[in-house]
Amino acid sequence: MRKRYGWEYGIPAYALASFVAYSRVEARDHYPHDVIAGASIGIVCSYIFTRPYKGWNVQLESGDRYYGFRLSRAW
């Protein structure tokens, strides 16, 4: 998330991932080395396969009777 969308989305994503990792270890569903291995694989894959996201903009939208996403492209 950070590499593709920047720190604005990266910090909440890292915080959520850290909370989930902690909760899995605390609940004894995973061992700490499982969580560290999964995070390592995810980080390495993001550096190999992810490019910054440019040109498209996604926004949340809501009105009196609707909720949705707006997808637009800067030319």
Side-chain angles (χ1 to χ4, degrees), residues 2-60:
R2 185 215 40 93
K3 188 173 180 185
R4 188 164 175 98
Y5 300 108
W7 284 108
E8 181 179 318
Y9 292 96
I11 290 174
Y14 282 132
L16 181 61
S18 298
F19 172 74
V20 170
Y22 172 77
S23 69
R24 297 295 82 206
V25 172
E26 187 67 24
R28 299 184 191 271
D29 288 336
H30 294 285
Y31 294 107
H33 60 270
D34 295 339
V35 173
I36 293 168
S40 300
I41 291 169
I43 290 168
V44 168
C45 288
S46 74
Y47 276 99
I48 294 172
F49 298 113
T50 304
R51 295 182 316 218
Y53 191 70
K54 295 180 181 176
W56 289 93
N57 189 19
V58 179
Q59 295 175 324
L60 293 174

